[in-house]
Amino acid sequence: MRKAEVSTPGQALAYLVDCTLATISHMAMLKSRKKSEYERQIAIAQNGVDWMVQMNIDPSTTRAAEIISQGLTVADWAKGFTLGES
């Protein structure tokens, strides 16, 4: 989803969750990262994903779709991007 496509509160939440998940995937691939900031971003994204599910917001145009469809937590999803982990 692109920022210009946002026209409802649900789409705004989906957009922000997608942006946060993009940040997490980037941080996960870094050789060195601040653990507390990484965990904070994961917690923020998890709240957003949980709200998307509770509010029945369509995740299909976001990275959250994979997390929701596979029943993953954001932390588990992020492990797929972490160097040396799977």
Side-chain angles (χ1 to χ4, degrees), residues 29-42:
M29 291 185 272
L30 296 175
K31 199 171 194 178
S32 176
R33 64 178 174 265
K34 190 170 181 182
K35 184 179 177 183
S36 61
E37 180 60 22
Y38 182 62
E39 290 174 351
R40 188 176 81 82
Q41 292 294 320
I42 288 173

Side-chain angles (χ1 to χ4, degrees), residues 10-50:
Q11 289 174 338
L13 175 60
Y15 175 78
L16 292 173
V17 168
D18 196 46
C19 290
T20 306
L21 291 171
T23 299
I24 291 167
S25 65
H26 171 75
M27 289 179 77
M29 291 185 272
L30 296 175
K31 199 171 194 178
S32 176
R33 64 178 174 265
K34 190 170 181 182
K35 184 179 177 183
S36 61
E37 180 60 22
Y38 182 62
E39 290 174 351
R40 188 176 81 82
Q41 292 294 320
I42 288 173
I44 291 167
Q46 186 64 61
N47 282 324
V49 169
D50 291 345

Side-chain angles (χ1 to χ4, degrees), residues 31-84:
K31 199 171 194 178
S32 176
R33 64 178 174 265
K34 190 170 181 182
K35 184 179 177 183
S36 61
E37 180 60 22
Y38 182 62
E39 290 174 351
R40 188 176 81 82
Q41 292 294 320
I42 288 173
I44 291 167
Q46 186 64 61
N47 282 324
V49 169
D50 291 345
W51 288 336
M52 288 178 73
V53 171
Q54 292 169 6
M55 296 176 199
N56 200 29
I57 295 171
D58 180 16
S60 64
T61 60
T62 71
R63 291 165 181 84
E66 178 183 353
I67 294 167
I68 294 167
S69 70
Q70 294 183 18
L72 300 172
T73 65
V74 173
D76 287 339
W77 174 81
K79 288 177 185 174
F81 299 96
T82 305
L83 295 174

